[in-house]
């Protein structure tokens, strides 16, 4: 995942490009991002974030999910 695919393309999350392997998912009113990464401590991290029913713009929610994944990686 990376900026060319419309993910991890904001300053807070760009550090996770090439470091996080994840799968997106969408349903009406819900967005998800699940995957894995090797954290800055060298240990594998597995994550799953699901948003359901938010009133925020889906693009803004996507940026938040990317930022959360970068946080799990430890680069944000």
């Amino acid at each position: 995942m990376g900026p060319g695919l419309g993910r991890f393309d904001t300053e807070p999350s760009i550090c996770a490009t090439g470091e996080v392997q994840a799968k997106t998912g969408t349903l009406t009113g819900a967005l998800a991002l699940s995957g894995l990464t090797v954290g800055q401590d060298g240990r594998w991290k597995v994550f799953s974030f699901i948003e359901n029913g938010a009133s925020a713009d889906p693009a803004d929610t996507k940026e938040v999910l990317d930022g959360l994944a970068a946080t799990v990686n430890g680069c944000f």
Side-chain angles (χ1 to χ4, degrees):
M1 300 190 94
L5 300 173
R7 302 305 302 230
F8 303 109
D9 57 359
T10 62
E11 188 58 39
S13 65
I14 203 162
C15 63
T17 301
E19 301 296 324
V20 172
Q21 304 301 313
K23 176 69 178 109
T24 61
T26 58
L27 292 170
T28 302
L31 295 172
L33 183 66
S34 299
L36 56 103
T37 185
V38 175
Q40 298 297 306
D41 61 2
R43 298 177 67 185
W44 283 99
K45 314 288 182 173
V46 177
F47 63 88
S48 186
F49 305 116
I50 301 169
E51 171 282 317
N52 188 23
S55 59
D57 182 279
D60 293 337
T61 302
K62 174 193 70 97
E63 289 181 13
V64 169
L65 295 179
D66 289 355
L68 288 170
T71 301
V72 171
N73 175 261
C75 67
F76 173 57

